[in-house]
Amino acid sequence: MALQRNMDPHKCPMPSQDPAVRAHNFDEVALGYTYEMAVNEARRCLGCKNKPCVTGCPVQIDIPAFIERVANEDMEGAYRVLSASSALPAVCGRVCPQENQCEGKCVRGIKGESVGIGRLERFVADWHREHSTEAPEKPASNGRKVAIIGAGPSGLTAAGDLARLGYQVTVFEALHLAGGVLVYGIPEFRLPKAIVQQEIDGLKAMGVDIQTNMVIGKVLTVDELMGEFGFEAVYIGTGAGLPRFMGIPGESLKGVYSANEYLTRVNLMKAYQPGSHTPLLHSRKVAVVGGGNVAMDAARCALRMGAETVYIVYRRSMNELPARAEEVEHAQEEGIIFKTLTNPVEVLGDEQGAVRGMRCVEMELGEPDASGRRRPVVKEGSEFELEVDTMIMAIGTSPNPLIRSTTPGLETNRHGCIVTDGDDGLTSRTGVYAGGDAVTGAATVILAMGAGKQAARAIDEYLRGKN
Amino acid sequence: MFKIVRKEALNPTVTRMVVDAPLIARKAMPGQFVILRAGADSERIPLTVADYDRAAGTVTIIFQVVGAGTMELNDLPEGGCIHDFVGPLGTPSKLDGLKKVAVVGGGVGCAIAYPVAKRLQELGAEVHSIVGFRSKDLVILEDEFRAVSDKLVMMTDDGSYGDKGVVTAPLEQLIQAGEAYDEVIAIGPLVMMKFVSLTTKKYGVKTTVSMNPIMIDGTGMCGGCRLTVGGEIKFACVDGPDFDGHLVDFDEAMKRGGTYRDFEAHAREEYCNLLNKEVQ
């Protein structure tokens, strides 16, 4: 049946909560396409034979195939295509930076807007969750044990793929709850925790065993897992690690948080829920330092926790913000003030040791640096003070030492990231694979998932060859 | 879920619990800590390991009831279960090779100082323990300390037991009297550790303190437990909790420690009101 193509140059806008309302609640901002919107948007896809969009997807979802099924109103069929490549489609549809990935390669984007691939992915995953009664199939076990360290996006993806192949997978999670950055970092209004939990429950139904409260490197070492505990291979997906600070005076004043701490208090420890026992300062004026997704999340959380004024302080310009375009737009709509080309040089405190402001300098962009972005340089005599009572540092992380310091022979680079061989994630230790932020330094959920996927394939090949 | 094998009150505000946690008991060393959550919605609380029994697979914790989190923990009965219990976290105290050590404990900090003293004695060191409490009612672990110490000095703030005064006075007297300690290990309130460090600095005696700042994950992820040590930012959970007392910025740590004082008081009150309602 030939379908009528939808030649509208614009993608169907995402229905979302009104900015003035959502700035004060933690409900999901983007509401998702309706059935009709999804089918119409899917009909914008040209079904290109060479599938440029797929080359932009770190987990190589067969995008035209799933979209074609949506266009034909076969939602369950579309879900089967998605879940063949992605363990967490409801998550990716919400948090992937699609504009730099699949949608960035979409042919429709040349003369208009790309197809809303991410929005369609989200629609299909949500539709499946709401309508499907099929229990996930539990694959026949091959009796071989694989350990996954870290129940974040990378580890969960590897766990799902390996479980599907019949491996007995145990995931070791340091915190009391599985999900990694999906539960401690990304806030409820961007990724509802019930959705993460449902994806995790799906993995459990497939036979994946998740052990919380297990800090590998402390409770057990990689060598113990592979020795007395009988795991034949290990995948390390331990995530980004320790928050960085700027090294400027005043960073230990009361009211200076790392974004990790602030987001963990709000999300994992549920400070956003009324009656929560999790302590959090009642901030009025907040500055978030940094320009990535984590900075946007922290700023928007601070607003929702009741702050009157929230600044994003970033040393480059709006054009260089590393955050996803949609997050920046949402933040602006909600009233976050972007102080770009600004860099803090000192946190100022009062007599009680609490933050009362920060001293900043203005920056201008000079020559491009090693990252290809124009290097910010200080503008002479531009010092000024910004009155804030809370400062949240979202300037990246450095790798966690717990695994590398307790795993002899595990090679790491000068930054402390685990060194892997090519795309397979094989480390310098036989049978030990790694991927995600623990290898790359802080990156995105989908890149971590892509690494988990490739490592799962490599682990399967290794174990089949080993016998 | 982690079963509470034994529970006893050591004094009106301090409780000892022996918890079934075989994997943690296998590895725990003095100076390390656990993070626990009493119930499914409780705060994460860091507590230093007070003792462990590798054969029985148990870990002992001793805690003072100060806030909503410790109240919830203290409400769990013997035979009941702690929802989450993870460890051993942090780096163990470095005790090997020490010949003569003064162990200084203050208040509930004695619960952490005791396993250090015990381990030192096992390693063959001469142990002088100086322990201080506010008053006689609050004294804990006296017999335990006596059993592992070559010398034990008991102090109370009000003089209701032992000698009257603070722990730095007998420590300074002992040093002046010529006791040549390889190291002084001080565990207690920040202000006590600060003054012990100031005292020993005068005599150039190496001093180790055990820091117990606000903490969430305990694995380095949040950075909430950061301290300034020798001008550098350190994370108590992965770099410590033991640090060189002569390098720690105690004044900053004391200010940071008070970040949530209002919130904690409020939460405690709320929790008590909740209990009152249940009782009514």
Side-chain angles (χ1 to χ4, degrees):
Chain A
M1 181 184 73
L3 286 169
Q4 182 67 46
R5 294 250 172 258
N6 170 359
M7 293 313 290
D8 189 335
H10 300 291
K11 71 170 113 172
C12 174
M14 183 61 135
S16 53
Q17 271 199 79
D18 184 74
V21 176
R22 72 180 191 234
H24 305 290
N25 70 46
F26 271 85
D27 298 338
E28 195 170 11
V29 168
L31 302 171
Y33 278 169
T34 62
Y35 190 92
E36 289 71 27
M37 286 174 177
V39 172
N40 271 331
E41 182 63 21
R43 289 178 181 175
R44 291 185 65 231
C45 175
L46 302 176
C48 307
K49 285 259 170 345
N50 59 347
K51 305 180 181 183
C53 48
V54 179
T55 64
C57 176
V59 296
Q60 278 147 37
I61 291 172
D62 189 344
I63 293 164
F66 103 79
I67 293 185
E68 189 194 358
R69 283 165 180 74
V70 179
N72 284 303
E73 305 190 40
D74 171 14
M75 300 309 170
E76 205 47 41
Y79 184 77
R80 277 195 296 274
V81 175
L82 283 181
S83 60
S85 302
S86 171
L88 310 166
V91 173
C92 294
R94 288 172 164 83
V95 305
C96 268
Q98 289 98 359
E99 69 267 23
N100 304 327
Q101 297 178 350
C102 52
E103 294 182 18
K105 309 257 179 179
C106 178
V107 171
R108 290 297 304 263
I110 299 169
K111 283 191 180 164
E113 286 183 326
S114 62
V115 174
I117 301 170
R119 294 169 184 180
L120 289 172
E121 181 185 25
R122 168 185 163 154
F123 173 81
V124 171
D126 288 356
W127 191 92
H128 170 81
R129 198 176 61 250
E130 284 155 23
H131 293 89
S132 174
T133 48
E134 285 172 46
E137 220 170 293
K138 193 168 174 176
S141 169
N142 65 15
R144 308 184 73 172
K145 290 168 69 180
V146 179
I148 309 279
I149 308 175
S154 198
L156 292 176
T157 300
D161 282 13
L162 287 164
R164 248 181 242 121
L165 294 167
Y167 291 96
Q168 269 185 44
V169 180
T170 305
V171 183
F172 295 97
E173 166 57 43
L175 290 170
H176 57 261
L177 195 64
V181 72
L182 308 176
V183 296
Y184 76 73
I186 302 178
E188 178 77 16
F189 57 83
R190 201 148 80 78
L191 179 62
K193 300 310 143 214
I195 286 170
V196 179
Q197 193 52 50
Q198 194 134 6
E199 305 259 27
I200 290 166
D201 290 344
L203 291 176
K204 286 186 185 164
M206 271 169 42
V208 173
D209 176 28
I210 298 183
Q211 298 276 334
T212 53
N213 295 318
M214 292 292 280
V215 181
I216 302 303
K218 287 290 178 187
V219 189
L220 296 172
T221 62
V222 168
D223 285 299
E224 284 170 314
L225 291 176
M226 297 185 85
E228 58 179 300
F229 288 84
F231 289 97
E232 293 187 67
V234 171
Y235 178 67
I236 304 170
T238 46
L242 283 55
R244 286 214 184 99
F245 291 90
M246 295 185 75
I248 57 175
E251 275 182 301
S252 290
L253 289 166
K254 284 188 281 186
V256 181
Y257 289 99
S258 75
N260 272 4
E261 180 184 0
Y262 192 80
L263 290 170
T264 300
R265 286 182 182 278
V266 174
N267 300 317
L268 177 74
M269 302 310 294
K270 304 195 171 119
Y272 74 90
Q273 287 180 349
S276 163
H277 280 169
T278 302
L280 192 75
L281 292 173
H282 296 293
S283 310
R284 282 190 317 107
K285 292 189 173 185
V286 180
V288 180
V289 182
N293 288 319
V294 173
M296 301 304 137
D297 284 345
R300 297 171 71 197
C301 279
L303 194 69
R304 284 160 173 78
M305 293 304 296
E308 294 151 20
T309 311
V310 181
Y311 302 104
I312 289 274
V313 175
Y314 179 56
R315 63 196 181 124
R316 291 183 161 100
S317 76
M318 289 303 284
N319 297 328
E320 286 82 22
L321 281 171
R324 225 172 147 238
E326 187 175 292
E327 308 314 323
V328 177
E329 277 161 35
H330 281 162
Q332 285 178 311
E333 286 167 8
E334 288 164 14
I336 307 283
I337 300 165
F338 283 73
K339 286 201 107 44
T340 52
L341 291 168
T342 302
N343 206 27
V345 290
E346 184 182 358
V347 194
L348 307 168
D350 64 16
E351 312 79 60
Q352 278 80 44
V355 174
R356 66 167 176 83
M358 55 193 229
R359 183 167 295 131
C360 301
V361 287
E362 289 177 25
M363 311 293 282
E364 50 197 359
L365 293 179
E367 294 300 307
D369 63 11
S371 73
R373 295 180 298 181
R374 291 173 66 193
R375 181 196 298 275
V377 287
V378 177
K379 221 191 260 184
E380 285 296 323
S382 62
E383 251 187 39
F384 69 99
E385 278 184 21
L386 194 63
E387 188 203 329
V388 291
D389 55 29
T390 303
M391 193 166 160
I392 302 173
M393 308 302 288
I395 53 167
T397 54
S398 58
N400 196 308
L402 289 183
I403 300 247
R404 70 166 187 261
S405 63
T406 55
T407 311
L410 185 72
E411 197 188 323
T412 53
N413 66 19
R414 66 193 169 87
H415 302 294
C417 296
I418 299 170
V419 174
T420 57
D421 182 24
D423 292 335
D424 284 353
L426 179 63
T427 67
S428 53
R429 288 276 307 262
T430 308
V432 180
Y433 295 75
D437 286 1
V439 169
T440 58
T444 60
V445 167
I446 188 68
L447 284 174
M449 288 177 61
K453 198 161 191 65
Q454 279 174 320
R457 204 179 297 138
I459 288 170
D460 177 48
E461 257 169 50
Y462 161 69
L463 290 178
R464 275 190 292 129
K466 183 181 159 216
N467 271 324
Chain B
M1 301 291 260
F2 298 81
K3 192 172 173 193
I4 301 163
V5 183
R6 223 167 34 248
K7 176 185 176 188
E8 62 186 307
L10 294 185
N11 75 27
T13 63
V14 176
T15 303
R16 168 158 55 194
M17 281 182 180
V18 180
V19 181
D20 187 38
L23 285 177
I24 304 175
R26 234 167 77 122
K27 292 264 176 81
M29 296 289 283
Q32 291 190 291
F33 64 95
V34 295
I35 286 196
L36 62 82
R37 294 199 317 147
D41 290 312
S42 306
E43 266 191 87
R44 292 173 68 93
I45 306 173
L47 285 175
T48 305
V49 170
D51 206 350
Y52 44 83
D53 183 332
R54 303 208 200 284
T58 58
V59 170
T60 302
I61 50 171
I62 295 177
F63 59 93
Q64 186 159 30
V65 180
V66 285
T70 40
M71 279 183 189
E72 277 178 76
L73 179 62
N74 199 39
D75 283 346
L76 296 174
E78 188 170 290
C81 282
I82 297 174
H83 200 277
D84 298 289
F85 199 77
V86 55
L89 301 169
T91 51
S93 301
K94 292 182 188 70
L95 305 176
D96 288 336
L98 297 176
K99 298 276 181 289
K100 183 168 181 168
V101 181
V103 176
V104 183
V108 73
C110 292
I112 312 161
Y114 165 67
V116 171
K118 181 181 159 193
R119 179 74 189 142
L120 282 166
Q121 195 224 22
E122 284 169 8
L123 291 169
E126 183 180 344
V127 178
H128 293 183
S129 297
I130 304 168
V131 294
F133 300 91
R134 281 215 311 275
S135 67
K136 186 183 180 195
D137 298 342
L138 300 177
V139 172
I140 57 170
L141 302 172
E142 182 183 357
D143 294 342
E144 285 88 341
F145 269 107
R146 205 172 293 286
V148 299
S149 308
D150 297 278
K151 184 192 286 283
L152 175 65
V153 183
M154 299 286 299
M155 304 293 295
T156 50
D157 292 353
D158 62 0
S160 54
Y161 195 66
D163 293 333
K164 182 178 163 133
V166 290
V167 289
T168 43
L171 175 65
E172 187 154 17
Q173 281 163 18
L174 287 167
I175 294 172
Q176 280 175 347
E179 300 284 7
Y181 299 119
D182 299 333
E183 193 167 323
V184 172
I185 299 175
I187 306 170
L190 285 170
V191 64
M192 180 205 94
M193 294 194 285
K194 173 183 169 177
F195 282 99
V196 167
S197 299
L198 287 173
T199 304
T200 56
K201 197 167 186 182
K202 285 191 285 189
Y203 302 96
V205 183
K206 185 181 174 202
T207 299
T208 299
V209 295
S210 175
M211 302 298 283
N212 190 8
I214 294 168
M215 210 176 262
I216 306 180
D217 63 294
T219 64
M221 189 265 280
C222 84
C225 66
R226 65 189 185 277
L227 306 158
T228 304
V229 182
E232 279 178 59
I233 290 182
K234 295 281 182 192
F235 290 0
C237 66
V238 288
D239 299 319
D242 287 358
F243 291 101
D244 182 337
H246 296 156
L247 298 178
V248 170
D249 185 339
F250 286 102
D251 294 338
E252 178 189 281
M254 281 187 251
K255 283 178 180 161
R256 281 184 67 77
T259 304
Y260 299 112
R261 198 155 283 149
D262 295 348
F263 189 99
E264 279 158 8
H266 180 74
R268 188 171 54 230
E269 208 168 281
E270 216 171 50
Y271 187 75
C272 294
N273 288 341
L274 209 67
L275 288 182
N276 288 342
K277 269 185 210 142
E278 274 172 23
V279 172
Q280 286 160 11

